[in-house]
Amino acid sequence: MTARHASFAEFYPYYLTQHADRRCRRAHFIGTSSAIASIAQYIDSLNPWWLLFAVVSGYGGAWVGHFFYEKNRPASFSQPWLSFRADWVMYWQMLTGKLSW
């Protein structure tokens, strides 16, 4: 069971410990990138299936990373909103080179 965290500043360092394996971070990065592309497709086509694909690919990438590489339970199961925010911060840090992927 994941410990509850009172703030994002307290949660994010813990979140990074749950993503120590670079393969997990890569799976997150690929899933989040796919979700962004799916949202762009939705905006272009207005086909709601793209929104479903965005959710499936975004969470799917994360869950693959956790279940196959980290062998831990995704933080989104216990703290979904902090985890969602942390995923975007981690994505940005990987995109800008602050965090290796």
Side-chain angles (χ1 to χ4, degrees):
M1 180 81 180
T2 303
R4 301 300 282 179
H5 297 90
S7 68
F8 184 76
E10 182 183 304
F11 176 76
Y12 191 63
Y14 164 77
Y15 183 85
L16 290 178
T17 69
Q18 301 302 295
H19 299 84
D21 190 313
R22 290 178 69 175
R23 297 170 297 175
C24 179
R25 292 194 304 272
R26 287 175 182 157
H28 270 265
F29 191 88
I30 292 166
T32 301
S33 295
S34 179
I36 292 168
S38 298
I39 291 168
Q41 277 294 121
Y42 168 72
I43 291 168
D44 183 55
S45 69
L46 298 180
N47 181 339
W49 286 104
W50 285 111
L51 293 177
L52 177 63
F53 189 74
V55 172
V56 170
S57 65
Y59 280 107
W63 292 351
V64 163
H66 287 285
F67 294 128
F68 290 103
Y69 304 122
E70 289 287 354
K71 309 280 194 248
N72 62 14
R73 186 175 175 190
S76 61
F77 290 176
S78 61
Q79 295 198 272
W81 296 113
L82 288 175
S83 181
F84 182 77
R85 181 176 171 195
D87 188 56
W88 287 103
V89 171
M90 186 174 72
Y91 181 82
W92 180 253
Q93 288 180 337
M94 287 187 290
L95 189 64
T96 60
K98 184 174 181 184
L99 183 64
S100 67
W101 70 285

